[in-house]
Amino acid sequence: MKVKESWLLLVQIFSDPQNRCTVLSCEQGRERTEDVMGAPNETMVTEFILIGLSEYPKAQAAFFCLLLTAYVISFLGNGLIVILIIADPHLHTPMYLFLCILSSVDFMISNNIFPEIMVNCFLYRPTISFYRCLVQMYVGVILFLTECFLLATMAYDRFAAICQPLHYFQIMSWKFCITLVAVSVGLSTVSTAIHVLLRPTDFCGRHIINHFVCELQSFLKLACSDTRASELFMNVISLFNVMLPFCFIVITYVRIGFAVLSISGKKGWKKAFFTCSSHLTVVGVFYGTIIIMYLMPHPKSTTDQDKIVSLMYGVLTPMLNPLIYTLRNRDVKGAFWRVFGRKISE
């Protein structure tokens, strides 16, 4: 009965329409912070309290099981793809180079947030140091932006493979592919570095983050200094680093669509679909969660729904990507049997 109650309570939290603060209400949290730590202008924040689902201790067991399942799938799936691509010479192509980098990014994303959230499920008021919070938050931003650019790069790779098949290896040379990966990581790092420079420094003793992890928007809501520059930059970065790659992917697949329409024969259509289906599915999952996050209203205080939706990216994308590429990709499944089947037979 306790397990059943935990799952019912977890479902209730996800569908709760009320904007409740958790553990402490926002006002109570600020008052208690000031009572314990002194006047706001005289305090210095050295650690943050992550509320998460602390108000719902019965639901934390079910939530931990969900996270553990997602983490195991993400850890094993992404790790397996990286090992297979490195170990099997048949996968030493530009397409699988990008897939290897993408799986490495997903592997780091899951390890950046999952272990701490799962440990916090057993703590009433988990804390995180100020600098550990900054590292977790800005590493997450770098990985998120890198994935945006990588998905756009993979779309261009598919365009070259379908629309310019005879010149594919000339267009997607190893030097060009490595340059694309380096540019993706470089742009993400520079954007995040500007975020770091514009981060708020005055929190007036506010140290309660109504979230599972240190997340950028929740972090900015704690600041009592002027955050308009940070928020403006976030909007500009979102337009440049998120929407431009998305528009590039859409335009690229429109051009691929026109190219496929000119292909005569069922075999050509099938090959084009096989080439693009996995990447299109990953793009749909990745940008689907982002669109849900941005279409939702953003009140001044973070609600339980906001926390769950913002966590969707960190949970769904690293978990589903390896499933999509292994279940729908014959090359990866073939590499698995070549690498591991040989050892099993021996």
Side-chain angles (χ1 to χ4, degrees):
M1 288 297 293
K2 290 184 177 180
V3 175
K4 185 176 180 181
E5 290 174 1
S6 298
W7 284 101
L8 290 174
L9 185 56
L10 189 62
V11 172
Q12 182 182 358
I13 294 169
F14 290 1
S15 59
D16 189 359
Q18 297 180 354
N19 293 335
R20 294 181 296 179
C21 235
T22 50
V23 183
L24 302 170
S25 69
C26 294
E27 293 300 323
Q28 290 174 336
R30 290 175 190 169
E31 291 174 4
R32 186 170 298 186
T33 300
E34 293 177 6
D35 291 341
V36 174
M37 303 185 69
N41 293 331
E42 298 176 358
T43 58
M44 179 182 240
V45 174
T46 59
E47 65 179 16
F48 294 104
I49 296 175
L50 299 172
I51 291 180
L53 291 178
S54 297
E55 190 185 19
Y56 310 97
K58 292 183 179 179
Q60 286 182 320
F63 187 62
F64 173 80
C65 292
L66 288 173
L67 286 177
L68 181 61
T69 303
Y71 179 67
V72 170
I73 294 173
S74 175
F75 186 90
L76 295 179
N78 288 299
L80 178 64
I81 288 178
V82 172
I83 291 171
L84 290 177
I85 293 174
I86 293 174
D88 190 352
H90 294 86
L91 300 184
H92 291 177
T93 63
M95 173 184 174
Y96 290 106
L97 168 67
F98 297 133
L99 177 56
C100 182
I101 303 298
L102 180 67
S103 294
S104 300
V105 169
D106 286 334
F107 186 85
M108 289 185 282
I109 287 173
S110 59
N111 282 283
N112 185 46
I113 61 173
F114 274 113
E116 186 156 13
I117 299 177
M118 288 190 291
V119 170
N120 290 346
C121 286
F122 300 99
L123 302 177
Y124 172 59
R125 297 180 68 186
T127 60
I128 184 172
S129 69
F130 181 83
Y131 291 106
R132 164 71 181 130
C133 178
L134 293 183
V135 170
Q136 182 183 79
M137 182 169 57
Y138 290 120
V139 166
V141 172
I142 290 176
L143 296 173
F144 168 75
L145 296 179
T146 300
E147 187 147 358
C148 290
F149 290 119
L150 278 175
L151 290 175
T153 301
M154 294 173 75
Y156 180 75
D157 173 74
R158 296 301 82 208
F159 169 78
I162 293 174
C163 299
Q164 300 290 335
L166 299 179
H167 304 285
Y168 174 71
F169 287 103
Q170 293 177 346
I171 297 171
M172 302 303 295
S173 64
W174 285 112
K175 183 178 179 181
F176 182 62
C177 292
I178 293 171
T179 301
L180 288 176
V181 173
V183 169
S184 299
V185 176
L187 288 174
S188 304
T189 304
V190 170
S191 301
T192 306
I194 300 175
H195 265 306
V196 174
L197 294 175
L198 293 177
R199 71 174 176 83
T201 56
D202 191 1
F203 296 92
C204 300
R206 299 174 187 172
H207 68 308
I208 298 176
I209 296 180
N210 188 19
H211 213 286
F212 301 100
V213 292
C214 284
E215 188 258 348
L216 188 57
Q217 290 184 342
S218 300
F219 179 80
L220 292 176
K221 287 177 183 179
L222 294 181
C224 58
S225 56
D226 190 1
T227 61
R228 283 178 295 182
S230 298
E231 292 173 355
L232 177 62
F233 182 72
M234 278 183 61
N235 293 328
V236 173
I237 286 297
S238 298
L239 181 65
F240 178 77
N241 290 342
V242 179
M243 294 310 299
L244 281 185
F246 177 68
C247 292
F248 177 81
I249 292 171
V250 172
I251 293 171
T252 300
Y253 273 106
V254 168
R255 295 185 64 183
I256 291 175
F258 283 118
V260 170
L261 289 175
S262 65
I263 298 175
S264 58
K266 190 174 181 181
K267 188 176 180 181
W269 282 67
K270 193 173 181 181
K271 184 177 180 181
F273 177 77
F274 169 74
T275 304
C276 299
S277 59
S278 295
H279 181 255
L280 270 173
T281 307
V282 169
V283 169
V285 172
F286 180 80
Y287 279 100
T289 56
I290 295 175
I291 290 170
I292 292 173
M293 288 171 61
Y294 276 92
L295 288 181
M296 285 186 63
H298 294 286
K300 291 184 178 180
S301 59
T302 305
T303 65
D304 291 331
Q305 291 82 3
D306 294 332
K307 294 186 291 186
I308 298 300
V309 172
S310 64
L311 193 64
M312 283 174 60
Y313 163 74
V315 172
L316 284 181
T317 307
M319 179 183 69
L320 293 180
N321 284 1
L323 293 178
I324 292 168
Y325 276 107
T326 53
L327 296 178
R328 298 174 63 89
N329 193 306
R330 289 176 293 183
D331 293 338
V332 174
K333 289 188 284 188
F336 176 83
W337 291 112
R338 282 193 296 271
V339 174
F340 294 100
R342 192 186 313 144
K343 293 182 179 180
I344 293 172
S345 61
E346 291 175 359

